[in-house]
Structure formats: structure tokens, C-alpha cells
Amino acid sequence: YFNMKFILFISIFLSFLTIYSQERPQGKMNPEDMPKDGVLKGQVIDADLGTPVQYANVVVKRVKDGTIAYGTVADDQGKFVIEKMMYGKYNVEFNFIGFAKTTKSEIMINPNSIEVDLGKVSIKQAALKIDEVEVVAERKYVEYKIDKKVINVGQDLNSVGETAVEILENTPSVTTDIDGNVSLRGSGNFTVLIDGIPSVLEGSEALQQIPASIIESIEIITNPSAKYDPDGVAGIINVITKKKKEPGYNGLINATVDSKGGYSGDILLNFRVNKLNVFVGGDYANRLGPGSGHMDRITQDDTIAYYVQDVDNSRDRLSRNVKVGFDYIFNDYNSISINGSYGLWGMRRTAFAKTNEYYSLNGIEFNDTNYITDNLFAINRYSYNVNSFYLKRFKVKGEQISFQYNYSNGDGADEEELTQYGSDNLWNYNQIGVFSQKTGEESNTTTHRFQADYVKPFGEKGKFEAGLQGRLRTSTSDYFVDVYDYENSSWVRDNARANNLEFDRSIYSGYSTYTNAFKKIEYMFGLRGEYTNREISSGDDVFLIDRFDYFPTLHASRKLGEKLQLQASYSKRINRPREWYLDPYKNYMNPKTIRVGNPALEPEYTDSYEINLQRRIKSGSVSVETYFRQTNNLIQRVQMLLEDNVMEMTFENLENDQALGLEFMGNADLSKWWNLNLSFNLFNYKINGELLDQEVNQATNTWSSRMNNTFKLKTGTKIQFMLFYSGPSVTAQGESEGFLGSNIAIRQDFLKNNLSVTFRVQDIFGSMNHAFTSYGITSDGNNYTAYNKFLRESPVFSINLSYKINNFKQKREQGSGDDIRIDDGGDM
């Protein structure tokens, strides 16, 4: 009986202690001594639509005194997890701009309930009187997802009136050179997607013709999953264009002029009613890029030959495009989208060169010759595209199947005309040329793309994706050479140097990915298989490829507390050589330079590894990314010296190259009026292999950096100053110099923010036009050394006018939600 009473007493006493500890988690005990192993999680969803509310605010307050104990922001799926919570009773508030506040009361964290899952928490959209209250929210310039970085273009004033290339000048992991060529972590081999669809043009060419004003965001995907095409050694740049979904009509009109005579304009109109959304747009641009250059080339055989050239040049880009499309939602489970475009992309390059050639034998110079060359190179490419997309959703949330078909056809004509004139030592020349030549290419390319994708979610975080795809590409190219007959004043076709190329390639692929979580680690496995059949015909020569390739991918992510996230990824990729890399036809660019393709080129295969660490700080975020990339069968442009001081340019496979780097990125609001965006990339680059019977073993440590400052004045004026530097690097046959640049932009809004005026200065200090801070390349080969320097005329001044039609405003009538800002705590 005594034992029973003793046991009863002990039970009551322990229960009392448990209840007391639950009701008064702090009491007189030091809070730091309390257990901190509680976990609170859930998902915030839109009460009306049933969709996740991305980046919703979650605030945890103590019931005892109403003070804020914890806070976090939901991810892009509306999910949140708060760890290391002390035992106690809490009220949890959920909120986001445009939604009414929702509270979950008296949530208990104690030894009997360490982990609390609130499940799906619904919050309702709040009504606002937009006529009287203007709500302004700005996204961060760079946002980090599990497998990509998202660049929010609207935050970049320096890109106003420009193209996607200028946006990427201020983007982590990307560098651009003086000619607008883009590199992704040091490689120019990447894939460009427009709204997830491969561009008709490739790489930098595609980015140079997309107006910045029509771009919503740009996704930088350095380690894509198996769902994406594996093409592009360095990864994918996906350009997301603006397609507004608000009811009614709205639009955007832009116009830009600059001090070099360039101009551009574009318009985007959108109309939405009920289930139908229609958009139409167009752009017209002529962007001028005057500059100059210098080349020294020394060749040594029996004699030493010197080839010195000064060039005044200009590279002008022309684009004209029209696009139209519509989206239609049949019901909650079926929708369709169809869009098409037609356009012209052109490039015109002129070069007026003064050339001095002389020879040296035993220290005696002789055969000193001066001449003038006038060179015009023009590209015109017309293309049209039709894209269709059908989406079928199922009753199980997140389960869907989609079908996509894309068709494109393009005609191109490239022509280069060169005239050479005799000249004296003072560069006085006869207006009648001594040699004139035209080379050109006419081509037609057709592509078909079929794709089907299926998504099946399961459990809390599980997801299975699979798809099938077919890519068919055919193209024909006809090359010609005309030589001017001065005696008869006519052009004569050189049939011996004419050629045609036929390219036919089919790629059939299938992929699957599996996403889930193990404890606190989210992971995604993927595998893609591709069968390639390719045939190239050039004259009587035929080159075949019949091959099957596998491409595995792996992504993993783990949150380390509320502010720290660790990510790791791996992918295998391929870079297939372009048609003109493979064509064995000799293209005579000028009397001293020949370009010829190599049909024996093998595709490049790249293994890419990344480990990234991101941390949210009180005023922004910082991240550190480490990466290693090895490319086998590396394709390199090479030069060979032929007889009579003629240089032949072609392409060869080397064994491999390697890049090991560390990239730091930070974004912080240093005050209410000053935002700083900073990136720094330090890496070691190596090239290994054998080239033209010589061993290649090049290596360098180099770096690049960008700093972007945005200032917001009380008058509503925004000022943005950007400074960037790209360090020197190495090539298979030499090295490239570093270069420095800077831009500034000032924007002022008028007419209730409907009209924006932006003044921009590109290359403020003229560093691109300075011998010590502009771009140069040195090449060394068998019996020759060459140095090329490129200068851009700068600074360039421009002004842009942007007018918003209807400004996307909507009227709401009642209610309001509180705006809560989470204090993330201190810095690192």
C-alpha cells in the first residue's frame, strides 16, 4: 500500500513538473539552459487557389509576452522549417504582401511534442485600395534555387536599352569580352534557352539579339539536372521573357538612342480576359560598336617576316523581330499555349587596315611593303519559329503530363568582301585596288523538337519525373568564292574553291529524375540517355557518327539552421561541334588568312562538380561556391603557319582542360538608400594535351570581380554604378589579357511611375579604349608569334524612355494585411 502511494505521489509530482515546464518555459531558469531541440514546420498555401505562397513570412511569438522568438521565410514551394526551438507555448503568424494575416494559436513545443507539423496553412488574399495606396516590393537582384541562380532583370538599370549581353555583364559566374562574347565560368560552350526552348541562334549570338526590356529574368544553371538537354559544357543560360497574366490590357514601350548613332525600340502588348491571354510584341535595333585594333606577327623560317597592322573597325548589330502568341485555360486541368516569331538578325563588321610587311635576313631588312585593305563582312539570318505546349493536370496535386512541339526554319547569307590597295610609306594609296575577293555562304536550317514530360509527386517531398524527346536538325550550306577581274571589270566565280555542305542529325533521348528527402537532406538523382545519328557530306566526303551516351546528375541540399544552406551537385554534359567547325572547305578570309574546319573533331564531354554554401544575413545574403570542371576532348581554335606567311585557322581536340575555382557573392542593403551587390571569382585553369605534334601544358591562376552599387534618393531617383574586371587567362597557344570596365545609370520616374527616363554612360573612364586596360591576345606557334589588341570607342552615352501602358494596376476594395519584416539576426 505504501509503495502504491509513493508511486502515485511521484507520478503526480512529475506531471506537475511537466505541466509547469510547458506553461513557463523560461521561469527563473536561464533561457540558455533550456533544451533547444524543438522543430516547427509546415507549408503556406493560397486559400483560394490552393497553390504555394512563395517566400511567405512566418513569425513565432511567445504566448507569455507576445515577443518575437523566431522567424523565417518559406521557400519557393511555400514550405518552412524552424529548428532549435526552446520548449514553450507559441503563437505563429503567417503573412505575405497582398494576403491577410493568419495566426495559429498556442502551439506547444515540449518533450512529448518536440516536432510539430502544422501541415498546410491557408492564408487568404487581402484586398487593397490601389487608388489610394501604392505597394512597392523589390526582389533581390540574384535569387538562389537548389539548381540555379535567378537574375531579376528589373533591378539592373545598366541594362536599360541594351541586350541580354549587357545584363550578364553584372551577373555572377558570367563574363563578357569587348566584342560581346559571353563565357560561363570561363567557357563559351553553353546552351541558350528562351522560355525553356533552345534558341535558333547559339551562345553569344542568341544573347546579342534579345532586348533587355522584354526579359523578366535570366536563369544561370551551371549544373543542370537530367531533365535538361546535356548540350553546352558550361551549362545553361535560360532567358525568361515578360508575359503578364493580369486581367485587362497592358503593355510596355521602350526607345533608346546613344552617342555613337545606335538606336533601338521595342513594344510588348498583353490582353487577358477570362481564360484567354493574348500577347504581341516586336523590336527593332541597330547597335553600333566602333573601335580599333593592332596586330604584330613575327614568323621565322629561313628569314624573319614581320606583319604589322593597325585597324579602324566597327561591329554593328541589327535585329528586327515580331512575335505573337496566346495561352488558353480550358479548365483547372487542361491548358494550351501557342506562340510564334519571325525575325532578322544581322551583323555588319567593317575593317580598314594599314599593313606593313617586311623581312629580315642576317639583321638586314628588305622587301618593305605597305598596303591598305578594306574589308566588309555581313551576316543576315531570317528565321521563324512556332512553339506549342499542352499541359494536362490530374486531381492529385502536382501530378501532370505535358507535350511540346517546336518547329523552326532559318535562311542565312554570309558575305565577306575584301579589297587590297597599294600604298606608300605615308599611307597614300591608289583608289584602284590591286586585289578584290568575295567569299560567302548561303544556308538553310530546319529543326523539329518533340517532347513529352510526366511529373508524379508522392509523400511530403517525393517527386518522380520522366520524359522522352526527339531532336531533328537538317541544314545545307553552299560556299562560293568570287575574284574581281580588273581587266574586264567583273566578278568571276572560282569554281575550284566552291563547296557545299549537308548536315543531318537526329537525337533521341529519355530521362528520369527522382527527388526526395532523407532526414534533413533533400536530394535529386537523374539519368539521361541519348542516341545520336549524324551524317555530314562535303563534296565527295561523308562523315558519320552513330553513338549512345549516358548523362547522370546528382543534386543535394541541406539546411544548417534557419539561415545557412549547403548544396552539392554533379552533372555530365556534352558539347557537339557546330557545322562550320566540321566543314573541310577552305574559306579564304583574306590573302593572308584561311579558315578551315575539321571533320574529325570529337564532341567534348564535361564532368562538373559544385559545393555551395549560402547564408542569409540581416540585410541580404552571402554565398560561397566551389567548383571543379574537367572537359575531355577539348575543342580549341588553333593557328598554323603556311608558306608565304599565310596563317590557317582550324579546330583540334586536346586531351582536356580543368578549372578549379572559388566564387564569392554577396548582396546587402547597407542602408535604406544603398544596396551593394558584389561577386568575386578566383580559379585555376589548366590545358593539357598535344597540338600539332607539340605538347601543351598551360596553367594559370586568375580572377574576375564585379561591384554594383544602387542608390535610392528621396526624390525617387535611382543611381547605379557598376565596376568590373576580368583577369588574364591562357589558351592552347598563348594567353589573353585582362580588362577593366565601368558603367553608371540614372533613372527618374514620371507620370505616376508610368514613364521612366534613364541616362546611361558605358565605360565611364574609357578603360576599354586604353592600351593597358583593354583586351589583348598573344599566340605562339611553330615558327611564329602574334599579338592582337582590341580597343572600343568609349565612353558611350545613351538615353532610354520607357512607358508602361495601364501599369498593371488592379483595384481592390476592402481589407488589408500587415507587412511584417523578419529580423534575421546578426551578420556572420
Side-chain angles (χ1 to χ4, degrees):
Y1 176 76
F2 174 81
N3 290 338
M4 289 294 294
K5 290 175 64 177
F6 180 79
I7 292 174
L8 180 61
F9 172 80
I10 293 297
S11 299
I12 295 173
F13 179 76
L14 291 177
S15 299
F16 174 80
L17 289 181
T18 300
I19 295 173
Y20 184 84
S21 65
Q22 293 171 358
E23 290 293 332
R24 297 174 175 79
Q26 296 179 357
K28 296 182 181 181
M29 183 181 295
N30 188 343
E32 298 300 325
D33 297 331
M34 292 293 295
K36 298 180 181 179
D37 54 359
V39 177
L40 181 69
K41 62 182 180 179
Q43 183 183 26
V44 186
I45 64 172
D46 188 314
D48 299 317
L49 302 178
T51 57
V53 179
Q54 298 181 347
Y55 315 118
N57 295 320
V58 182
V59 181
V60 180
K61 295 183 178 180
R62 299 180 181 90
V63 171
K64 179 181 179 181
D65 53 16
T67 58
I68 297 177
Y70 305 98
T72 190
V73 176
D75 62 17
D76 58 358
Q77 297 298 315
K79 297 180 180 180
F80 66 91
V81 178
I82 300 176
E83 300 174 325
K84 297 182 179 179
M85 294 180 62
M86 290 190 298
Y87 295 162
K89 186 184 291 186
Y90 303 98
N91 294 328
V92 187
E93 297 177 353
F94 303 89
N95 200 339
F96 193 63
I97 295 174
F99 288 83
K101 180 172 63 179
T102 297
T103 302
K104 293 288 185 179
S105 302
E106 299 192 352
I107 304 301
M108 190 75 70
I109 303 291
N110 58 44
N112 297 324
S113 182
I114 294 177
E115 182 173 312
V116 176
D117 187 352
L118 297 179
K120 295 181 178 180
V121 180
S122 300
I123 61 176
K124 281 187 167 292
Q125 294 188 21
L128 293 176
K129 288 187 177 181
I130 300 300
D131 285 342
E132 301 175 4
V133 180
E134 180 181 3
V135 179
V136 178
E138 289 191 358
R139 296 174 295 174
K140 294 298 183 184
Y141 181 70
V142 181
E143 295 184 68
Y144 298 92
K145 310 293 184 181
I146 187 172
D147 61 344
K148 58 193 171 189
K149 290 189 284 285
V150 180
I151 312 303
N152 294 311
V153 175
Q155 308 304 311
D156 188 1
L157 302 187
N158 273 296
S159 66
V160 172
E162 299 294 340
T163 69
V165 172
E166 282 71 30
I167 295 172
L168 294 170
E169 285 181 348
N170 191 33
T171 298
S173 307
V174 179
T175 56
T176 62
D177 68 16
I178 197 169
D179 287 323
N181 298 309
V182 177
S183 297
L184 182 55
R185 284 208 174 136
S187 174
N189 295 321
F190 55 86
T191 298
V192 174
L193 306 180
I194 301 176
D195 295 324
I197 300 171
S199 169
V200 176
L201 302 176
E202 298 185 9
S204 298
E205 285 186 356
L207 297 169
Q208 289 167 3
Q209 61 90 39
I210 305 175
S213 57
I214 71 167
I215 301 174
E216 180 75 24
S217 62
I218 296 180
E219 297 176 347
I220 307 298
I221 312 173
T222 50
N223 257 1
S225 72
K227 180 178 181 178
Y228 294 95
D229 298 349
D231 303 74
V233 167
I236 293 172
I237 296 179
N238 186 21
V239 179
I240 309 299
T241 60
K242 294 177 180 176
K243 293 181 287 292
K244 294 296 182 182
K245 302 298 184 182
E246 289 82 355
Y249 70 94
N250 40 61
L252 183 66
I253 302 175
N254 283 276
T256 302
V257 294
D258 66 45
S259 58
K260 299 302 179 183
Y263 54 88
S264 64
D266 60 84
I267 183 171
L268 178 65
L269 301 174
N270 192 90
F271 179 77
R272 182 174 179 86
V273 57
N274 298 327
K275 300 180 179 181
L276 177 66
N277 181 75
V278 180
F279 64 90
V280 61
D283 64 84
Y284 183 99
N286 187 18
R287 296 181 173 89
L288 308 181
S292 60
H294 176 81
M295 183 179 72
D296 288 310
R297 190 165 77 201
I298 302 175
T299 62
Q300 186 170 0
D301 198 357
D302 295 332
T303 61
I304 301 175
Y306 299 88
Y307 186 82
V308 181
Q309 189 176 80
D310 288 296
V311 184
D312 290 323
N313 55 40
S314 177
R315 177 172 295 193
D316 309 335
R317 296 183 176 92
L318 173 70
S319 64
R320 303 172 186 171
N321 296 281
V322 176
K323 64 177 182 178
V324 63
F326 73 89
D327 309 312
Y328 187 79
I329 303 174
F330 295 96
N331 49 46
D332 292 340
Y333 301 103
N334 297 275
S335 62
I336 190 172
S337 177
I338 297 177
N339 66 80
S341 64
Y342 175 78
L344 161 70
W345 179 83
M347 191 269 285
R348 177 186 173 95
R349 185 181 66 226
T350 61
F352 186 81
K354 301 174 181 179
T355 305
N356 174 227
E357 281 191 84
Y358 60 95
Y359 298 85
S360 175
L361 180 62
N362 298 324
I364 301 175
E365 296 181 2
F366 62 96
N367 197 18
D368 194 341
T369 304
N370 290 330
Y371 55 89
I372 302 287
T373 53
D374 194 1
N375 183 282
L376 169 63
F377 177 66
I379 301 175
N380 290 293
R381 296 179 181 175
Y382 294 88
S383 64
Y384 62 90
N385 310 275
V386 178
N387 308 306
S388 59
F389 182 80
Y390 169 72
L391 176 64
K392 167 68 176 179
R393 294 185 176 91
F394 298 94
K395 292 184 178 180
V396 177
K397 186 178 179 180
E399 183 179 6
Q400 65 182 44
I401 188 169
S402 62
F403 300 94
Q404 179 177 316
Y405 170 68
N406 313 114
Y407 171 82
S408 66
N409 180 269
D411 289 304
D414 304 355
E415 185 173 293
E416 185 165 14
E417 181 176 339
L418 179 142
T419 301
Q420 182 173 313
Y421 307 91
S423 174
D424 61 20
N425 291 334
L426 298 176
W427 304 112
N428 299 309
Y429 65 98
N430 193 327
Q431 297 298 321
I432 299 176
V434 296
F435 173 83
S436 292
Q437 173 184 278
K438 282 182 182 178
T439 60
E441 171 197 1
E442 294 181 352
S443 62
N444 179 269
T445 302
T446 300
T447 61
H448 300 268
R449 181 186 180 96
F450 309 86
Q451 187 167 327
D453 300 279
Y454 175 71
V455 181
K456 174 67 175 179
F458 55 90
E460 183 179 352
K461 296 184 177 181
K463 183 170 65 174
F464 172 77
E465 296 181 82
L468 298 173
Q469 184 189 90
R471 289 183 281 163
L472 313 178
R473 180 183 178 95
T474 60
S475 67
T476 58
S477 301
D478 293 314
Y479 299 89
F480 68 87
V481 178
D482 291 344
V483 179
Y484 192 73
D485 184 348
Y486 283 91
E487 184 175 344
N488 298 307
S489 301
S490 62
W491 291 98
V492 178
R493 180 66 47 93
D494 187 347
N495 293 319
R497 291 194 284 169
N499 188 51
N500 70 293
L501 176 73
E502 295 184 3
F503 180 92
D504 192 351
R505 185 183 68 193
S506 301
I507 302 174
Y508 300 98
S509 57
Y511 77 90
S512 65
T513 64
Y514 176 79
T515 305
N516 212 327
F518 176 74
K519 294 185 178 179
K520 298 181 181 180
I521 300 176
E522 295 185 17
Y523 60 86
M524 178 170 62
F525 297 101
L527 180 64
R528 187 183 188 95
E530 289 199 344
Y531 167 71
T532 302
N533 181 273
R534 191 198 72 188
E535 179 178 319
I536 296 177
S537 301
S538 179
D540 296 328
D541 299 320
V542 178
F543 305 92
L544 298 173
I545 279 185
D546 191 84
R547 182 181 61 242
F548 194 90
D549 294 307
Y550 294 96
F551 302 96
T553 64
L554 170 65
H555 294 76
S557 176
R558 188 187 191 281
K559 287 187 176 181
L560 306 173
E562 289 302 302
K563 304 172 186 176
L564 205 60
Q565 184 168 354
L566 180 66
Q567 296 176 327
S569 60
Y570 162 79
S571 70
K572 182 180 179 181
R573 302 190 59 75
I574 187 173
N575 177 49
R576 299 176 173 92
R578 303 179 184 181
E579 290 98 312
W580 65 277
Y581 281 30
L582 303 164
D583 185 10
Y585 165 68
K586 290 187 176 182
N587 183 2
Y588 290 78
M589 302 172 65
N590 59 59
K592 294 295 183 180
T593 308
I594 302 172
R595 185 180 64 206
V596 58
N598 178 6
L601 275 182
E602 292 287 332
E604 297 176 330
Y605 291 93
T606 296
D607 293 288
S608 177
Y609 306 82
E610 291 187 13
I611 299 178
N612 308 326
L613 188 65
Q614 292 111 33
R615 189 186 194 279
R616 288 188 297 108
I617 58 177
K618 183 176 181 179
S619 58
S621 64
V622 295
S623 70
V624 178
E625 303 184 2
T626 59
Y627 59 91
F628 175 76
R629 185 181 69 236
Q630 176 166 313
T631 300
N632 299 315
N633 296 339
L634 177 70
I635 297 174
Q636 283 280 289
R637 184 195 300 264
V638 299
Q639 301 181 82
M640 294 183 292
L641 184 65
L642 306 180
E643 295 180 354
D644 299 324
N645 202 25
V646 174
M647 190 68 70
E648 181 180 277
M649 301 169 57
T650 186
F651 303 90
E652 296 285 347
N653 285 113
L654 273 73
E655 183 179 345
N656 64 55
D657 75 347
Q658 298 175 349
L660 174 63
L662 179 69
E663 187 171 19
F664 167 83
M665 285 159 282
N667 186 295
D669 293 319
L670 301 184
S671 69
K672 292 182 179 180
W673 51 270
W674 181 13
N675 174 266
L676 175 65
N677 189 294
L678 181 67
S679 67
F680 182 85
N681 186 17
L682 174 66
F683 63 98
N684 176 268
Y685 182 65
K686 297 179 181 179
I687 302 178
N688 305 292
E690 186 175 291
L691 184 64
L692 305 177
D693 298 323
Q694 287 190 338
E695 184 178 354
V696 175
N697 188 13
Q698 293 268 66
T700 186
N701 294 311
T702 187
W703 61 282
S704 64
S705 182
R706 288 179 179 81
M707 179 180 65
N708 193 19
N709 293 271
T710 302
F711 306 97
K712 303 174 185 178
L713 307 184
K714 291 182 178 180
T715 57
T717 306
K718 285 189 177 181
I719 302 174
Q720 194 171 82
F721 172 73
M722 189 256 287
L723 184 69
F724 62 90
Y725 174 77
S726 181
S729 189
V730 296
T731 65
Q733 291 183 294
E735 59 186 26
S736 60
E737 297 175 345
F739 58 92
L740 175 71
S742 56
N743 301 325
I744 191 169
I746 304 172
R747 189 182 78 187
Q748 181 66 56
D749 295 331
F750 302 93
L751 303 178
K752 297 182 179 180
N753 296 331
N754 287 325
L755 175 66
S756 298
V757 180
T758 303
F759 176 72
R760 181 173 182 259
V761 183
Q762 188 175 11
D763 196 17
I764 309 168
F765 306 110
S767 58
M768 292 293 190
N769 197 25
H770 195 284
F772 295 104
T773 52
S774 57
Y775 189 60
I777 298 177
T778 300
S779 301
D780 294 297
N782 290 334
N783 300 325
Y784 83 90
T785 300
Y787 175 74
N788 289 272
K789 190 72 175 179
F790 306 93
L791 303 174
R792 176 191 296 170
E793 280 193 19
S794 59
V796 180
F797 303 90
S798 65
I799 189 166
N800 170 269
L801 301 179
S802 179
Y803 184 74
K804 300 174 183 177
I805 301 173
N806 211 24
N807 204 21
F808 309 122
K809 289 185 178 179
Q810 299 177 68
K811 294 183 179 180
R812 297 181 181 177
E813 295 181 353
Q814 59 183 0
S816 177
D818 296 333
D819 184 11
I820 296 177
R821 178 181 177 89
I822 301 300
D823 187 344
D824 291 329
D827 296 342
M828 290 182 64

